[in-house]
Amino acid sequence: MKLPGPRGAASAAVIDLLAGRVAGLPRQLEPDDDDDLQLALFVCYELAYRGWDGVDDTWEWDPGLLGARATLEARFESDLYALVGPPEPVDPAEVPQRLIELTESDDGPPLSKYLRGRATHDQFREFVQLRSVYHLREADPHTWAIPRLAGKPKAALIEIQIDEYGGGVAPRMHQELFKQTMSWFGLDLTYGAYVDLAGAPTLANNNVMSLFGMHRKRRGALVGHLAAYEMTSTAPNRNYGNGLRRLGGDAAAIAFYDEHVEADAVHEQIAAHDLCGSFAAAEPERAGDVLFGARCALALDNRWAGALLEAWR
């Protein structure tokens, strides 16, 4: 993936450092706005995924860059607390039911219904472009949790992730199925091709998974985030698939959404009970983190959906 263009002082400093245009970072790395913050974080996090073209892999563990990333993460975490509140203690036995109540009461912007019944070809195409930032590496951020869990929660997470990775069959991987949708719209299938088009809400949706995934202490928030995704996925993906059928999408283009309707209906129960319920029972002091991660997933996704609908209006 090519380094994106900067959007402010913080992202410019990080990008210039990785591109070899400067020798170090400024003493104070203060983002100009949320767009600048989210891009700077995304650039830092990508070093732990597939990296940037022409950027040495050793930057992933550079002490100076990690220190700067920690400063940016503190700002992002503060924003998350302001958005959904900090983690609070909760009875571990209540976690599955609290997750069910949280996801069932979610009444975010009706993006999937709009795409099902009203979106134009160009609007659906833009939706796919923006979602590609996540879907071309779908499941990867949540996989960080596997070596940080044990026993029943670990087995449950692996059961979910096996489906995400197509049961080990490359063409069935969700990352690969999404390329079929992109191909139908004539989009660039290159990993990260549309990062430059992605605003702060899109990047924040991706960054929160990396924030939780790359820190062992946030493993509870990571499994809660995944649970919220799985437990709210079936109906929207059915709407996306039907919207694409309305626009003339063929079976290959719709396969990604149909696959999620089938798989995530099963994943809902695994995520709530076998993954999060057993994690909370095993680590009761982190039960509140599970619900915090779920709240973050829902709030950020709702913010993203609202921003997209508003832009189209």
Side-chain angles (χ1 to χ4, degrees):
M1 180 159 41
K2 295 180 180 178
L3 282 167
R7 302 181 190 175
S11 57
V14 172
I15 291 167
D16 285 346
L17 179 69
L18 296 179
R21 291 189 286 266
V22 296
L25 292 168
R27 186 165 297 178
Q28 295 292 328
L29 198 63
E30 183 64 31
D32 291 344
D33 53 24
D34 197 38
D35 218 34
D36 188 32
L37 168 67
Q38 297 301 335
L39 182 62
L41 272 174
F42 188 90
V43 170
C44 289
Y45 286 143
E46 183 56 33
L47 293 167
Y49 290 97
R50 302 189 207 176
W52 299 100
D53 293 351
V55 175
D56 195 293
D57 289 342
T58 57
W59 280 111
E60 179 186 359
W61 291 99
D62 179 78
L65 190 56
L66 288 175
R69 193 185 85 182
T71 299
L72 298 171
E73 287 177 327
R75 165 78 174 268
F76 186 26
E77 195 165 57
S78 177
D79 292 344
L80 292 174
Y81 289 172
L83 182 65
V84 305
E88 298 177 347
V90 61
D91 183 345
E94 295 180 1
V95 165
Q97 184 58 36
R98 292 278 294 272
L99 281 170
I100 293 169
E101 293 170 357
L102 184 64
T103 53
E104 287 183 347
S105 64
D106 181 55
D107 58 351
L111 176 62
S112 72
K113 293 179 180 178
Y114 182 86
L115 286 162
R116 179 191 65 196
R118 297 179 55 192
T120 66
H121 180 280
D122 286 346
Q123 288 172 338
F124 211 119
R125 186 177 189 272
E126 182 182 13
F127 165 77
V128 171
Q129 281 180 310
L130 296 176
R131 291 298 287 168
S132 73
V133 179
Y134 166 62
H135 283 313
L136 290 186
R137 70 178 184 197
E138 184 174 352
D140 294 349
H142 294 116
T143 298
W144 292 112
I146 290 176
R148 293 167 177 163
L149 302 179
K152 189 173 182 178
K154 184 170 191 160
L157 177 56
I158 291 172
E159 183 176 359
I160 292 171
Q161 297 299 81
I162 284 174
D163 284 344
E164 301 291 335
Y165 291 119
V169 180
R172 298 301 305 167
M173 293 172 63
H174 292 182
Q175 299 171 7
E176 296 301 314
L177 289 177
F178 194 72
K179 289 181 181 178
Q180 297 176 182
T181 306
M182 295 178 70
S183 293
W184 189 80
F185 282 102
L187 295 172
D188 186 347
L189 304 185
T190 305
Y191 175 78
Y194 297 106
V195 169
D196 266 324
L197 295 181
T202 300
L203 296 178
N205 269 347
N206 287 270
N207 286 340
V208 74
M209 289 180 261
S210 297
L211 173 70
F212 295 159
M214 293 186 189
H215 296 272
R216 185 176 180 277
K217 69 177 183 179
R218 298 187 177 105
R219 59 195 179 277
L222 185 62
V223 299
H225 184 284
L226 175 60
Y229 258 31
E230 298 296 332
M231 296 169 71
T232 57
S233 174
T234 301
N237 277 293
R238 182 178 291 111
N239 286 338
Y240 300 146
N242 288 336
L244 198 46
R245 287 185 181 90
R246 174 180 58 82
L247 294 171
D250 58 23
I254 301 165
F256 174 83
Y257 300 116
D258 287 349
E259 169 68 18
H260 279 75
V261 171
E262 181 177 345
D264 291 352
V266 177
H267 291 173
E268 290 180 26
Q269 295 302 314
I270 299 172
H273 296 278
D274 299 340
L275 175 58
C276 292
S278 59
F279 172 83
E283 302 193 50
E285 71 281 3
R286 298 192 179 276
D289 293 349
V290 175
L291 298 180
F292 170 72
R295 293 198 304 271
C296 287
L298 298 174
L300 289 176
D301 203 55
N302 287 341
R303 189 174 70 173
W304 176 78
L308 192 55
L309 287 171
E310 181 59 30
W312 289 340
R313 278 193 291 268

